[in-house]
Amino acid sequence: MKCNKCDKQATFHITERVGDEEQWEEVHLCENCARQYLSKSGEQDAQPSLAGALAQQLKLGQTAEELAELDQQTCPICGISFYEFRNHGRLGCPHDYICFELQLMPLIESIHGETQHKGKRPRRAAHDIDKQTRLIRLRKDMREAITAEDYERASLLRDEIRVLEGDRDDQDS
């Protein structure tokens, strides 16, 4: 869907009440137009509103360059990019919570009020997820060690990854 003010892709869809009547108006805006729209509506309202809260969130948000860089970040397991998550609102796999942890935690906390799961989970699945999470972290550490030219540490991490992957292959057979 296109922005109502320009030709860019609309990422904000706002429904507002018009006047005192039971009429509703839907507005579709891109990020820049939404920022302008919400800053104008935030100035008009003395009471805090949803538009005001969104405007505040946009003020606290990243600059365009930071957002573009973040949008390029992808999950090593499923390959979903942060841009795809922002547009579709769905993650590709459980490991995305680790890959996009810094960006997701404030969002999850604002929605749920907590960032830790409180409840039951399958025993077997928890073990597999913990192992896959460890593999992801080890691979990331190994890439960082290679970038820093710390090849000794990278080889130790590689060996640890092979051991964990070997355990996984044994369980699959």
Side-chain angles (χ1 to χ4, degrees):
M1 183 169 288
K2 293 202 178 215
C3 176
N4 290 358
K5 307 252 184 213
C6 67
D7 289 333
K8 292 181 184 175
Q9 180 72 24
T11 55
F12 288 85
H13 308 282
I14 301 169
T15 305
E16 288 191 327
R17 189 177 194 173
V18 180
D20 293 334
E21 301 174 23
E22 289 293 320
Q23 293 180 347
W24 299 90
E25 179 183 273
E26 214 172 271
V27 184
H28 308 282
L29 303 167
C30 68
E31 187 171 350
N32 292 334
C33 294
R35 188 173 276 124
Q36 292 172 353
Y37 178 83
L38 293 172
S39 66
K40 288 177 188 173
S41 67
E43 292 168 3
Q44 293 170 357
D45 297 338
Q47 298 178 354
S49 66
L50 180 59
L54 282 171
Q56 184 65 26
Q57 186 67 26
L58 283 173
K59 287 178 189 172
L60 298 175
Q62 296 95 356
T63 64
E65 295 111 23
E66 289 173 335
L67 191 57
E69 184 179 313
L70 179 61
D71 283 345
Q72 299 302 315
Q73 187 177 346
T74 60
C75 172
I77 304 296
C78 68
I80 191 170
S81 68
F82 193 75
Y83 176 78
E84 291 175 82
F85 164 69
R86 283 192 323 114
N87 285 329
H88 299 290
R90 293 188 188 127
L91 296 171
C93 71
H95 308 290
D96 295 338
Y97 289 96
I98 297 161
C99 296
F100 307 126
E101 182 176 14
L102 293 175
Q103 297 77 29
L104 290 176
M105 283 304 169
L107 179 65
I108 291 170
E109 189 170 12
S110 70
I111 293 170
H112 296 290
E114 289 287 331
T115 58
Q116 296 294 317
H117 175 72
K118 308 263 189 214
K120 295 181 180 180
R121 66 168 79 163
R123 287 187 187 117
R124 181 172 180 234
H127 175 70
D128 291 344
I129 289 172
D130 291 341
K131 184 183 272 188
Q132 289 178 341
T133 301
R134 180 150 170 74
L135 277 170
I136 290 170
R137 289 203 171 128
L138 287 170
R139 287 183 184 122
K140 181 182 176 209
D141 290 346
M142 185 174 75
R143 282 193 302 271
E144 289 172 359
I146 291 169
T147 302
E149 297 182 3
D150 186 357
Y151 300 114
E152 193 173 312
R153 185 172 190 283
S155 67
L156 293 172
L157 291 167
R158 180 204 58 209
D159 294 342
E160 196 172 340
I161 290 169
R162 284 184 178 163
V163 167
L164 280 173
E165 286 177 337
D167 289 348
R168 189 172 65 186
D169 292 339
D170 293 342
Q171 288 178 354
D172 291 341
S173 358

